Amino acid sequence: MTNIFIIAGALFGIIVVPLGFFVGLQVSPVLANILLLPFIAVSWSSGIPLGDMSVLLLVWSTVLSVAFWATVFGLVGFGIKKLRS
């Protein structure tokens, strides 16, 4: 069961990149900051604004986003599995 959550989190990590930018522009900047947390962390740690990132840094941030969201979803799946047993 946890594996399904990890795969769903990895897919969410890919989908969240364009979704986070759209949500930030149209709906809620706070929700966009949560969705784009890995991008903001890379931007803050490198000192490069989000709009000035190179393509390589954007790809690296996307990979980091996939790993981050897969971990978050995996932990949620693990917690649900522990609660059920």
Side-chain angles (χ1 to χ4, degrees):
M1 180 171 167
T2 306
N3 293 337
I4 294 171
F5 277 91
I6 291 172
I7 292 170
L11 291 174
F12 183 74
I14 294 171
I15 294 169
V16 78
V17 175
L19 181 69
F21 285 116
F22 176 76
V23 166
L25 292 173
Q26 300 294 329
V27 181
S28 169
V30 175
L31 181 59
N33 285 340
I34 294 169
L35 294 175
L36 294 174
L37 186 63
F39 277 80
I40 293 169
V42 169
S43 174
W44 176 76
S45 66
S46 66
I48 300 171
L50 195 58
D52 291 339
M53 285 185 174
S54 66
V55 174
L56 184 62
L57 200 54
L58 288 173
V59 169
W60 171 247
S61 298
T62 303
V63 170
L64 186 64
S65 175
V66 168
F68 174 77
W69 288 110
T71 303
V72 169
F73 277 51
L75 290 173
V76 168
F78 181 73
I80 290 173
K81 184 178 176 182
K82 285 291 186 184
L83 285 175
R84 285 190 174 179
S85 57

